[in-house]
Amino acid sequence: MTVTDQPKAADSFRPSNAMDDSEICEKIEQWYGKADSYWRNQPSTVNGMLGGFGKITKTDVFASRRFLLDTIADYSKQTQFQRALDCGAGIGRITKEFLLKWFKVVDLVEQNGQFLEEARKSINSEDDHCLGELFACGLQDFTPEPERYDVIWCQWVLAYLKDDDLIAFLMRCKKGLRSNGLLIIKENVTSGFVEEVDFQDCSVTRTELSMQNIFHKAGLTILKQELQKNFPKGLFPVKMYALK
């Protein structure tokens, strides 16, 4: 499910052991539909994309840029800056503030057509850096073109995919990378040992162990991992992963 990116307060969830609601949600096939409906009611603004935490953008982007560049310097010096894919792009916040400053072309995949249209209007191509293709599609249904991307960036969106769909999507991402490409994931993680479910937007905040198991099942190797620093107190921890 491609929706958009959003940090979340740790007290906005109920434990996933209360699975009666979740089972009902799945049984009537509304898990993805409910998330889609939730985001259709959010404003097409940075604050809307970040659940009222628009002020963290500068801190978020600085850490993301440093993490990517450090990863390339330490583990993947042959990675090129030709084409990137922004998954769950929303209105293109990450593309506009970060990816398009480094990559010549950035494609966006986002289920919400209204968000994509806002991205198209607000992101200006400069010099030899330009916005590429815009895919109006949920990640559970999206397949990157094989060997197309130098970097695939997924941030605050994978929580909306069920485990099996997430594993399958990551496997497709691996095929979508060029030979020296990188898959970067930046997601909320729980500070404990239990996954936590938000029944308002049908998302799951996974444990670090759960994330690692999913990466393993998708055939991915963790090159580097790091916790986001300097976010406001009360939010879930945010973990960055570089994978191949």
Side-chain angles (χ1 to χ4, degrees):
M1 173 68 186
T2 304
V3 280
T4 183
D5 54 356
Q6 184 182 42
K8 291 189 176 181
D11 60 0
S12 66
F13 291 80
R14 290 191 283 125
S16 62
N17 56 8
M19 288 305 294
D20 51 340
D21 290 345
S22 179
E23 288 169 0
I24 292 172
C25 198
E26 278 196 45
K27 188 174 181 180
I28 59 177
E29 298 182 351
Q30 289 184 342
W31 184 259
Y32 291 133
K34 189 174 180 181
D36 183 35
S37 297
Y38 172 84
W39 284 104
R40 287 181 185 276
N41 290 311
Q42 305 310 307
S44 301
T45 63
V46 170
N47 223 31
M49 300 298 97
L50 294 174
F53 290 96
K55 63 183 180 182
I56 71 169
T57 285
K58 185 177 293 186
T59 302
D60 169 53
V61 168
F62 176 82
S64 295
R65 180 176 64 246
R66 188 193 63 192
F67 181 75
L68 176 62
L69 297 181
D70 285 352
T71 299
I72 291 173
D74 295 340
Y75 299 98
S76 190
K77 290 183 173 63
Q78 301 305 312
T79 298
Q80 302 296 304
F81 290 90
Q82 297 298 315
R83 196 177 199 108
L85 175 66
D86 184 356
C87 297
I91 62 171
R93 180 185 69 91
I94 297 166
T95 292
K96 181 178 182 179
E97 300 296 335
F98 166 37
L99 294 177
L100 203 56
K101 298 180 186 300
W102 289 89
F103 294 88
K104 290 186 176 181
V105 180
V106 181
D107 295 340
L108 277 58
V109 55
E110 163 60 53
Q111 179 161 289
N112 189 304
Q114 181 178 338
F115 293 164
L116 277 182
E117 187 56 35
E118 180 63 28
R120 191 194 306 273
K121 291 188 297 184
S122 65
I123 298 174
N124 297 318
S125 299
E126 297 180 3
D127 300 325
D128 58 347
H129 294 250
C130 65
L131 197 61
E133 296 186 70
L134 276 60
F135 302 98
C137 183
L139 294 187
Q140 73 275 12
D141 299 317
F142 181 73
T143 300
E145 183 178 321
E147 300 182 10
R148 182 175 179 83
Y149 296 105
D150 298 296
V151 165
I152 295 178
W153 192 278
C154 303
Q155 181 169 345
W156 286 323
V157 64
L158 301 184
Y160 296 92
L161 290 177
K162 295 182 288 184
D163 283 3
D164 289 347
D165 288 335
L166 175 52
I167 293 166
F169 171 68
L170 294 178
M171 292 173 70
R172 297 194 297 272
C173 284
K174 185 176 181 180
K175 294 179 180 178
L177 293 173
R178 291 176 177 162
S179 58
N180 295 297
L182 294 169
L183 172 60
I184 306 293
I185 289 173
K186 188 170 185 177
E187 290 287 335
N188 296 337
V189 294
T190 67
S191 55
F193 300 98
V194 180
E195 294 182 343
E196 301 194 37
V197 180
D198 185 335
F199 293 103
Q200 182 178 20
D201 65 0
C202 281
S203 64
V204 179
T205 299
R206 296 176 169 92
T207 66
E208 290 191 52
L209 180 59
S210 176
M211 295 292 283
Q212 291 168 12
N213 288 337
I214 285 171
F215 299 154
H216 176 73
K217 290 178 181 179
L220 292 163
T221 299
I222 299 175
L223 299 178
K224 183 180 176 69
Q225 54 186 309
E226 185 178 304
L227 277 171
Q228 169 73 49
K229 298 177 181 178
N230 300 319
F231 271 4
K233 293 181 179 180
L235 298 181
F236 274 112
V238 176
K239 194 75 177 281
M240 294 177 280
Y241 301 91
L243 306 118
K244 291 196 75 169

